[in-house]
Amino acid sequence: MSDKSITRRDFLVKTAQGASLAVTGGLLWAYLVRQEAKAQPYALRPPGALAEMDFNAACIKCGQCVNACPPDILKLAPAGANLPIGTPYFEPRTGACIMCPDIPCLIACPTGALAPELKDINKARMGLAVIDIENCLSWKGLRCEVCHRDCPLKGKAITLETDPRGLSKHAVFRPMVNSDYCTGCGICEKACPTEVAAIRILPPALVQGKIGDHYRLGWTFDTEITQDFKPSEQAPPAPETSGGKPAGMDYLNDGGGL
Amino acid sequence: MNTPADLSHSKLVSRPLGARLWSWRYVVLRRLSQFGILLLFFGTAHWAWEWPAKTPLLTGNLSASELFGRIPMADPFAVLQIFLSGHVLQQKVILGAAIVLGFYLLVGGRVFCAWACPVNMVTDLAGWLRARLPIPAMFVVSRNIRYFVLAASLVLSALTGLAAFEWVSPVGMMHREIIFGLGAGAMALTAIFLFDLLILKNGWCGHLCPLGGFWSLVGRTALVRVRFDKTTCTHCGECARVCPEPQVLNLKRLEETGFVTSGECSNCGRCSPLCPEGSLAFDLRPLIRKHGAEGSISSVRRTK
């Protein structure tokens, strides 16, 4: 061993070779895994699922939720299905969640990828119903409202906005989705009678905006500004005049510029 | 032509049909075990098999499952990867992993490979065919690669935040798709089959699979081991010829230890029924020394 004079060089070269093989292989592998995990952002998960990336990490792909599902709507994504491999999902158009009160799929989950913190199925957020108002029969003025009637949280998750003179001849009953209540069960999507469902379930993150915390809606009662607002005790200062004309507001209100 | 080894070899060749079939017993048992496990999962998933009443018999798959609605089981390697990806797991899956780990610590880690893993059926078929076809070795690679792949899957789990091997595992693909519906996993298995058949002998199970590497490490202290009797062994080499991990049958080492110590032995039971002298037999580790001292009580059975 020790009489070989090039051992050190050999060792370094071998180390470099091994390291580059490991790094190349590792990068490729990591790329594959990452690609697979974000293959499809539209997957609808069973109730209580963690946020998508956390869910992908925590799910052990065992399918116990699939076996526990009474209406048998859950599936495990097979390889090559353009969905994160091995993870459970459902497609509402063919099989909607019936919102079992005891949430057997969640109870069956051994890892907590379906978080046991969810106790009330009505608080589940599997997705959010979104209406294509251009192709919704009710929005077109026909009497459909099937989604509203079938909604397990009818009157909360889906409400009807009535417009007595919506069309020249008759009233329009427009279904509206309320994201505060919609669980994303998909019963509406399954029930929708149009050729391609005009109401669909999508992951909330794909469709919901966020106004930002810096907005204060002064007309709602619970915002800071409304509570602290006190009317001024002094009379407002008299409007300044300039150049013989009334100041801004008064000038316009008097119709001076028109 | 008349060395003890040659005599052993001719003993093997001239076995009657009954003895020949009898020597396949562990293979038959292993297939029954492998298919049986899949069948229990499949029956529970598709035919709602229950035992006791109103309780799913064996729900889940080899990644995680529950037996009789009571006993959780989980793949400790998968759980380890998920843990490294930065997730606190529930008690149930940790308990399940501990149960499975405990079981294989006793019977031998790679007993999973030979008796439970469905991919073993594919690679065994490739190996069986390869032994009958004139396919020369394309290259030689170290069987220790699996430990590097094992380390890589743990490191990558921590780096990517996803259980790295579980996302590409052909083992997972195979049992999942058999139990829960077919997909492109068959392509991965075809690739493994061709790789084992044409490129590298025992390539997947014996060189690359990190799950096999994991179970090899677990199996080092196993109770169920193959005992070796040096007094009857004629060094005919038949055992190493059928062994998918022949490095574990290093006879020099076996003579010192008296049994197969390597965790890479999967207790598949190919060698022991084939040994013309009955020098290899399953035994329990604590009893091996005693049986060895008794001068191979069972070494004369099945020698015809």
Side-chain angles (χ1 to χ4, degrees):
Chain A
M1 275 288 216
S2 55
D3 59 332
K4 285 185 191 163
S5 57
I6 54 167
T7 310
R8 183 196 298 259
R9 176 179 294 177
D10 268 357
F11 174 75
L12 287 175
V13 169
K14 284 272 181 229
T15 309
Q17 283 175 329
S20 49
L21 185 67
V23 169
T24 318
L27 281 176
L28 193 66
W29 189 348
Y31 174 78
L32 275 178
V33 169
R34 284 233 168 93
Q35 282 303 111
E36 182 65 50
K38 62 183 180 196
Q40 238 274 26
Y42 304 103
L44 296 178
R45 304 302 192 187
L50 302 171
E52 187 66 6
M53 274 318 272
D54 288 334
F55 177 80
N56 281 339
C59 173
I60 200 168
K61 312 177 200 297
C62 69
Q64 292 188 65
C65 53
V66 176
N67 288 346
C69 176
D72 204 13
I73 59 153
L74 292 176
K75 284 171 268 192
L76 286 191
N82 200 25
L83 282 164
I85 185 170
T87 53
Y89 71 102
F90 70 103
E91 289 169 322
R93 190 62 167 164
T94 48
C97 171
I98 61 169
M99 289 174 57
C100 314
D102 53 342
I103 329 183
C105 50
L106 184 147
I107 289 170
C109 178
T111 64
L114 305 178
E117 286 76 28
L118 181 74
K119 305 286 184 211
D120 177 4
I121 186 65
N122 292 342
K123 298 229 161 65
R125 292 293 176 268
M126 294 169 266
L128 179 61
V130 177
I131 300 174
D132 172 7
I133 57 175
E134 291 178 349
N135 288 297
C136 170
L137 296 179
S138 295
W139 275 74
K140 279 187 179 299
L142 294 165
R143 292 303 308 272
C144 171
E145 303 117 40
V146 167
C147 53
H148 172 256
R149 236 174 303 131
D150 278 8
C151 178
L153 296 172
K154 141 175 64 178
K156 288 177 169 174
I158 299 184
T159 50
L160 284 185
E161 188 190 73
T162 56
D163 185 350
R165 287 181 293 282
L167 288 171
S168 59
K169 299 206 190 296
H170 57 74
V172 174
F173 295 77
R174 299 190 186 97
M176 309 283 279
V177 177
N178 186 341
S179 66
D180 285 343
Y181 294 101
C182 177
T183 62
C185 69
I187 286 175
C188 52
E189 180 175 335
K190 181 153 191 246
C192 182
T194 52
E195 190 177 317
V196 176
I199 185 165
R200 304 218 207 158
I201 310 299
L202 289 169
L206 284 186
V207 283
Q208 270 188 310
K210 184 173 189 290
I211 61 170
D213 296 332
H214 56 291
Y215 284 98
R216 291 284 178 271
L217 305 182
W219 54 87
T220 59
F221 283 98
D222 52 352
T223 53
E224 278 173 44
I225 291 173
T226 309
Q227 284 160 353
D228 295 344
F229 179 76
K230 293 204 177 62
S232 167
E233 284 168 19
Q234 295 171 343
E240 288 174 29
T241 56
S242 62
K245 286 179 184 171
M249 283 298 282
D250 292 341
Y251 172 74
L252 289 171
N253 287 344
D254 291 347
L258 301 171
Chain B
M1 195 55 215
N2 278 325
T3 62
D6 291 334
L7 289 175
S8 293
H9 181 71
S10 54
K11 249 189 223 176
L12 207 57
V13 173
S14 59
R15 278 176 307 171
L17 183 67
R20 239 165 237 265
L21 291 177
W22 179 235
S23 71
W24 283 77
R25 61 191 178 278
Y26 290 118
V27 179
V28 173
L29 283 176
R30 288 198 295 119
R31 295 293 172 260
L32 284 176
S33 160
Q34 287 161 333
F35 275 111
I37 290 169
L38 285 178
L39 186 68
L40 289 180
F41 280 126
F42 192 92
T44 309
H46 294 274
W47 305 316
W49 283 1
E50 294 179 340
W51 198 90
K54 308 235 174 206
T55 312
L57 173 62
L58 180 61
T59 174
N61 60 28
L62 288 171
S63 298
S65 58
E66 196 172 62
L67 182 65
F68 309 143
R70 260 161 206 287
I71 306 164
M73 289 182 282
D75 173 358
F77 182 48
V79 170
L80 181 61
Q81 289 171 73
I82 295 178
F83 175 73
L84 288 174
S85 78
H87 281 267
V88 181
L89 290 157
Q90 271 189 286
Q91 216 180 339
K92 194 166 150 192
V93 80
I94 295 173
L95 181 64
I99 289 173
V100 171
L101 192 63
F103 174 75
Y104 286 116
L105 272 172
L106 292 181
V107 299
R110 293 202 69 203
V111 163
F112 170 81
C113 301
W115 294 77
C117 181
V119 174
N120 173 264
M121 298 191 256
V122 177
T123 57
D124 268 6
L125 179 65
W128 181 85
L129 260 181
R130 188 174 179 132
R132 277 149 190 82
L133 295 172
I135 300 168
M138 195 166 158
F139 47 74
V140 182
V141 239
S142 164
R143 283 176 181 265
N144 290 333
I145 282 187
R146 57 185 148 207
Y147 301 114
F148 290 97
V149 182
L150 170 66
S153 44
L154 296 179
V155 170
L156 287 177
S157 298
L159 290 182
T160 61
L162 292 166
F165 182 60
E166 299 312 302
W167 283 75
V168 295
S169 163
V171 182
M173 286 181 207
M174 185 166 179
H175 62 72
R176 254 195 331 263
E177 296 193 3
I178 288 175
I179 301 165
F180 291 105
L182 291 178
M187 272 158 58
L189 294 173
T190 312
I192 286 181
F193 177 79
L194 293 176
F195 181 71
D196 269 28
L197 179 68
L198 299 171
I199 299 173
L200 185 62
K201 190 179 169 192
N202 299 315
W204 174 254
C205 297
H207 292 75
L208 294 178
C209 179
L211 186 55
F214 175 81
W215 287 123
S216 298
L217 298 179
V218 170
R220 293 184 163 202
T221 56
L223 277 189
V224 181
R225 293 279 74 174
V226 174
R227 173 166 46 85
F228 173 71
D229 179 16
K230 63 179 171 191
T231 53
T232 49
C233 174
T234 59
H235 293 227
C236 66
E238 295 295 338
C239 51
R241 214 160 291 150
V242 291
C243 180
E245 302 275 351
Q247 75 281 6
V248 310
L249 287 170
N250 179 336
L251 293 184
K252 242 183 209 148
R253 279 207 67 189
L254 294 193
E255 279 170 16
E256 287 167 25
T257 55
F259 65 102
V260 176
T261 49
S262 171
E264 285 160 11
C265 169
S266 64
N267 284 357
C268 72
R270 276 191 186 81
C271 58
S272 98
L274 205 73
C275 177
E277 310 299 337
S279 310
L280 295 159
F282 282 125
D283 205 343
L284 293 174
R285 191 191 282 245
L287 306 177
I288 282 172
R289 195 171 290 273
K290 187 165 148 250
H291 287 167
E294 280 167 14
S296 59
I297 38 169
S298 60
S299 65
V300 275
R301 55 175 195 178
R302 303 188 309 275
T303 46
K304 283 177 190 166

